[in-house]
């Protein structure tokens, strides 16, 4: 048999050593047994794959490996360099390796075959060898040596083999009489890891299953084995792999150091690492003194090669190391992660984590705004909760909303930028705590200043194009955002801003000689006034240029075409506002601050006294029974030209505000008009509304298109004052007047009511020289009689009778200085009547029912014909329907009975 490796000499040498030193035999047997039971247990495929990878690397070919079963024999074939003499020597020497490079630095790895078989054949294209437990025992017996207790050292004696390897392979190892069940399944589970670890191998076939590895790309490579995928990055002393599923890398929760194949050194790194590390002979543990620190070199570059959104997954999160090696590697990896430039910023550049800062909850919109302000800010995609632990592990500085607000202090940006910033911050303000953290947020104002904190700022509601507002912290319109309201800024309308007492103080202290200050104030106020509602009266102190180029208070000026201008007296204190001011700001804004168009008004809630600078206000206030709840009055009525009052009334009724004031009868305006306004020389209060006939014939109706609308400013429907009561008395005595009997009677009743009720004192009235009888005839007071008893009505002639009401007749008699009927007439009933009672007289019952009055109670004397003899102011016998004697007896004529047939 051909023996290219001179195995016979090798056997002789080994046997001689054993014969010379039986102890050596026992040592070799024990060593082989220890390796099988310890260092190389469960590593059969791993060790053979490492040898196959070395063979492929030496031959410079893509390594292929095939495993199959034939009966009870296990076959393992590989491509690459064939077996050579040095390899045979390494196979037979338990402590020697012929390898000068590659993953297997020790030949002892082949010992793994002994874990499954004692009969091993190594076929190679250059010649094979055979190891046999049975033949080794036979040799020991022939040499007179005892078989050691540990068993025979099968791999120390080698014989030549003639069979070539399987076609297509350079080497084939055959393990005889192997317990096959389950063995191939275990190898299949190892195959994928081996293809990742041993780059010289590109495929492994186990039975009918083929595992093949491909690598694509540069830098961050894509490694695929079947349907499985990894991203791989190479550094000087390691390869780093991360499993990928659907394009998303998956963090490794636990693994072991691979050097290059799996060791027993447990790791907790988030990636797989295949490192160039010195290992102990069995490759299960790191060799003491191995340079582990260099393994992590370039880890930061690896992180930077990954898509930005996945990079934090590669940072080891804090935890207890799984081994001493794990602790060393974690520390070095973290050091690399902290100091390398890989963390994406809002600008798109990579940051060194230890110099970066993160704002939790940062959005893309907010990040875009802050990019040019804080370039060291971590991008939004990495600022969420899932990245918090990783960023903390690499010492990224965490800033909250309070820190951001502080950092923004002093930043100079356009108001529009601030407005966008507030909108972008809104999603981060989820509760009161977050709002409190932004209490110091800078806020740009309309006057160009920037203040700290929104709580003292004012938001213009519906206010735009205003410019500066010196008296209020008005937020610039371009910076307005709903967030500022949530942070405490107060919303204010143009009306609110122009009603601010700070503006009142500003106007009081304003130096009219300071043209810049005046110009700024006027511009600010009038820009707001165009959209304002009702404003306080003090706003009228705003200085404006008049038609003569002088400054005057707004409420002392009229618009050039104001209707009021043609109604006032020639020496009116009002001037005209300059045309240029009107052209620049518009009539609406000027009218809002008090520049006159029509009549101005004064409004005061809960006024405390006559302190509103109104004409005759004291007199009106004194006429009130109690203080008004609200004062609304028209100003400057005393400046109207008396000849222009008809036009003035038209103007007053054209404005809703002044119209309402005129129509409030108890208000100042209606009172003043009744008392002081004159038309055709007569006080307005002496005219009646055309629709009011209370004093028709005595008072003239106002001839005006709005006469009925201004009724509150005309004569009342009662005698409410001494002046009006005297006017009614004088009109009753006026021979040019022709009131009807009903008006005369009503007027007398209202005059009497005024005195009886106490509204008018008797001594406030002058007795008339003539009095008006019911018939309308004017008579001298001594000739007139005030009817104070209803039974006297039929007895006193209408030409001298004065009628009001029986209850107030005595008061009317005193007012007119006229006698009453009861005082001036004596009466005697002529003849006897029938004494009866009211309830016994059917005629009385029917008559009361017809008139709708209650039936009297008591005695009545019924006369067939009632004749009463009168004396005094009225004399003669009179046929009457009824009479009440002095003693209280009622006499009546039987004529109350209704005629038959009615």
């Amino acid at each position: 048999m051909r023996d290219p490796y001179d195995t016979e000499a090798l056997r002789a040498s080994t046997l001689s050593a054993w014969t010379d030193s039986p102890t050596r035999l026992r040592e070799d047997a024990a060593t082989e047994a220890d390796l099988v039971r310890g260092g190389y247990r469960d590593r059969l495929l791993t060790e053979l794959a490492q040898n196959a990878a070395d063979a492929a690397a030496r031959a410079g070919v893509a390594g292929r490996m095939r495993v199959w079963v034939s009966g009870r024999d296990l076959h393992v074939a590989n491509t690459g360099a064939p077996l050579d003499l040095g390899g045979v020597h390494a196979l037979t020497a338990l402590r020697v390796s012929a390898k000068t490079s590659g993953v297997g630095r020790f030949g002892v790895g082949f010992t793994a075959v002994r874990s499954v078989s004692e009969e091993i054949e190594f076929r190679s294209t250059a010649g094979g060898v055979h190891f046999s437990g049975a033949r080794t025992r036979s040799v020991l017996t022939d040499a007179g040596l005892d078989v050691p207790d540990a068993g025979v050292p099968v791999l120390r004696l080698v014989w030549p083999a003639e069979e070539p390897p399987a076609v297509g392979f350079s080497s084939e190892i055959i393990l005889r009489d192997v317990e096959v069940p389950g063995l191939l399944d275990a190898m299949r589970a190892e195959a994928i890891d081996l293809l990742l670890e041993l780059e010289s191998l590109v495929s492994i076939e186990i039975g009918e299953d083929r595992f093949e590895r491909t690598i694509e790309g540069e830098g961050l490579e894509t490694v695929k084995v079947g349907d499985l995928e990894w991203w791989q990055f190479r550094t000087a002393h390691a390869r780093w792999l991360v499993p990928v599923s659907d394009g998303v890398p998956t963090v490794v929760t636990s693994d072991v150091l691979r050097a290059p194949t799996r060791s027993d050194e447990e790791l907790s790194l988030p990636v797989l690492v295949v490192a160039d590390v010195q290992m102990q002979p069995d490759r299960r543990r790191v060799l003491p003194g191995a340079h582990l620190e260099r393994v992590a070199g370039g880890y930061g570059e690896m992180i930077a090669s990954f898509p930005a959104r996945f990079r934090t997954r590669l940072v080891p999160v804090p935890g207890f190391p799984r081994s001493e090696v794990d602790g060393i590697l974690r520390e070095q990896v973290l050091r690399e992660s902290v100091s390398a430039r890989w963390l994406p910023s809002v600008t798109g550049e990579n940051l060194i984590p230890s110099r970066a800062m993160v704002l939790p909850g940062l959005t893309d919109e907010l990040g875009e705004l802050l990019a040019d302000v804080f370039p060291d800010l971590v991008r939004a995609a990495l600022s969420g909760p899932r990245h918090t632990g990783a960023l903390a592990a690499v010492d990224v500085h965490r800033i909250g909303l309070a820190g951001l607000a502080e950092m923004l202090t002093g930043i100079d940006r356009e108001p529009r930028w601030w407005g966008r910033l507030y909108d972008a911050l809104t999603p981060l303000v989820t509760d009161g705590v977050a709002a409190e953290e932004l209490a110091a947020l800078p806020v740009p104002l309309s006057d160009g200043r920037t203040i700290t904190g929104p709580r003292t700022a004012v938001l213009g509601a519906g206010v735009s194009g205003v410019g500066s507002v010196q008296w209020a912290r008005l937020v610039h319109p371009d910076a307005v955002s709903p967030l500022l309201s949530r942070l405490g800024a107060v919303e204010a309308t143009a009306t609110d801003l122009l009603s601010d007492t700070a503006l009142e103080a500003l106007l009081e202290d304003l130096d009219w000689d300071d043209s810049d200050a005046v110009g700024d104030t006027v511009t600010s106020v009038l820009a707001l006034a165009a959209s304002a509602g009702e404003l306080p009266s003090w706003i009228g102190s705003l200085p404006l240029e008049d038609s003569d180029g002088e400054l005057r208070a707004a409420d002392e000026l009229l618009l050039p075409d104001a209707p009021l201008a043609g109604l006032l007296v020639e020496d009116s204190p009002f001037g005209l506002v300059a045309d240029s001011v009107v052209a620049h700001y518009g009539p609406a804004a000027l009218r809002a601050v008090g520049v006159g168009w029509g009549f101005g008004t004064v409004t005061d809630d809960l006024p405390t006294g006559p302190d509103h600078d109104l004409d005759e206000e004291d007199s009106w206030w004194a006429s009130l029974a109690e203080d008004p709840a609200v004062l609304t009055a028209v100003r400057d009525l005393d400046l109207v030209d008396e000849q222009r009052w008809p036009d003035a009334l038209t103007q007053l009724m054209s404005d809703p505000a002044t119209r309402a004031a005129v129509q409030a009868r108890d208000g100042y305006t209606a009172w003043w008009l009744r008392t002081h306004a004159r038309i055709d020389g007569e006080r307005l209060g002496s005219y009646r509304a055309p629709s009011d006939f209370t004093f028709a014939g005595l008072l003239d109706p106002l001839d005006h298109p709005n006469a009925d609308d201004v009724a509150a400013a005309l004569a009342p429907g009662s005698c409410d004052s001494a002046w009006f009561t005297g006017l009614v008395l004088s009109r009753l005595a006026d021979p040019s007047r022709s009131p009807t009997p009903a008006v005369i009677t009503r007027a007398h009743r209202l005059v009497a009511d005024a005195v009886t009720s106490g509204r008018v004192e008797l001594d406030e009235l002058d007795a008339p020289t003539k009095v008006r009888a019911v018939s309308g005839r004017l008579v001298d007071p001594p000739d007139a009689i005030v009817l104070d008893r209803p039974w006297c009505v039929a007895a006193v002639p209408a030409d001298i009778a004065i009628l009001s009401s029986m209850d107030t007749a005595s008061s009317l008699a005193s007012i007119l200085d006229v006698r009453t009927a009861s005082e001036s007439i004596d009466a005697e009933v002529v003849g006897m009547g029938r004494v009866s009672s009211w309830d016994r007289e059917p005629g009385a019952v029917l008559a009361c029912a017809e008139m709708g009055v209650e039936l009297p109670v008591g005695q009545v004397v019924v006369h067939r014909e009632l004749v009463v003899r009168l004396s005094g102011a009225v004399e003669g016998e009179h046929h009457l329907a009824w009479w009440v004697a002095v003693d209280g007896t009622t006499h009546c004529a039987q004529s109350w009975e209704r005629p038959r047939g009615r």
Side-chain angles (χ1 to χ4, degrees), residues 505-520:
L506 174 64
L507 293 177
E508 289 178 355
D509 298 336
L510 185 62
D511 182 2
W512 286 25
D513 292 330
D514 186 344
S515 59
D516 291 338
V518 170
D520 290 343

Side-chain angles (χ1 to χ4, degrees), residues 222-258:
T222 299
V223 179
K224 292 183 179 180
V225 178
D227 294 333
L228 301 179
E229 181 178 342
W230 293 260
W231 285 345
Q232 175 176 268
F233 189 86
R234 302 172 186 271
T235 58
H237 298 284
R239 288 185 291 117
W240 307 89
L241 296 104
V242 179
V244 177
S245 177
D246 295 329
V248 177
T250 303
V251 173
V252 177
T253 56
S254 65
D255 199 58
V256 294
L257 175 65
R258 301 167 188 251

Side-chain angles (χ1 to χ4, degrees), residues 335-552:
R335 184 173 301 172
E336 279 278 325
S337 301
V338 169
S339 59
R341 191 177 295 277
W342 61 265
L343 186 58
S345 73
V346 289
T347 65
E349 300 294 328
N350 285 337
L351 303 172
I352 295 175
S354 60
R355 302 176 185 175
M357 58 185 177
V358 61
L359 174 64
L362 182 72
T363 62
D364 288 333
E365 181 182 4
L366 181 57
E368 179 183 351
L369 287 168
L370 297 176
D372 63 335
V373 182
F374 306 120
D376 291 337
L377 190 63
V378 176
R379 66 183 297 181
L382 301 181
S383 300
R386 70 165 60 181
H387 306 284
T388 300
L391 296 183
V394 291
D395 297 336
V396 175
H397 177 55
R398 179 187 176 97
I399 62 170
L401 293 177
L404 176 64
E406 181 179 355
M407 292 167 61
L408 287 168
T409 301
I411 297 298
D412 184 16
R413 289 295 184 275
E414 292 296 323
R416 189 176 302 279
W417 183 90
W418 288 103
R420 292 176 58 202
L421 176 69
Y422 303 146
D423 290 341
L425 280 171
T426 299
L428 278 65
V429 185
T430 57
D431 52 30
V433 174
E436 189 66 30
E437 289 182 350
L438 290 176
L441 191 65
V443 181
L445 303 184
S446 61
D447 60 5
R449 293 178 296 157
T450 298
I451 61 171
T452 300
R455 288 181 179 172
T456 60
V458 175
L459 298 173
V463 176
S464 61
V466 174
S468 64
V469 175
Q470 306 93 316
W471 65 92
R473 293 186 164 190
L474 180 66
V475 178
H476 194 287
D478 291 342
V480 171
S481 168
L483 176 64
L484 295 180
S485 295
R486 295 176 59 187
L487 299 182
V490 179
E491 288 195 4
T493 62
T495 304
D496 296 331
L497 291 170
L498 293 179
S499 301
D500 192 342
T501 55
L503 175 58
E504 182 180 13
L506 174 64
L507 293 177
E508 289 178 355
D509 298 336
L510 185 62
D511 182 2
W512 286 25
D513 292 330
D514 186 344
S515 59
D516 291 338
V518 170
D520 290 343
T521 303
V522 169
T523 298
S524 299
V525 171
L526 292 182
L528 288 166
S531 58
E534 186 175 353
L535 298 176
S537 58
W538 50 256
I539 199 73
S541 64
L542 181 72
L544 297 174
E545 183 180 353
D546 67 6
S547 57
D548 296 327
E550 300 294 331
L551 288 179
R552 297 184 67 175

Side-chain angles (χ1 to χ4, degrees), residues 626-650:
E626 59 183 12
D627 293 350
V630 179
L631 168 68
T632 301
V634 177
R635 298 187 293 113
D636 306 319
L637 294 173
D638 55 314
L639 300 180
V640 175
D641 186 333
E642 185 174 315
Q643 303 302 316
R644 305 292 295 171
W645 268 113
D647 295 332
L649 287 179
T650 301

Side-chain angles (χ1 to χ4, degrees), residues 793-817:
V793 172
V796 179
D799 284 346
I800 62 171
I802 297 177
L803 179 63
S804 61
S805 69
M806 302 304 158
D807 294 337
T808 60
S810 60
S811 292
L812 182 60
S814 299
I815 294 168
L816 301 178
D817 196 15

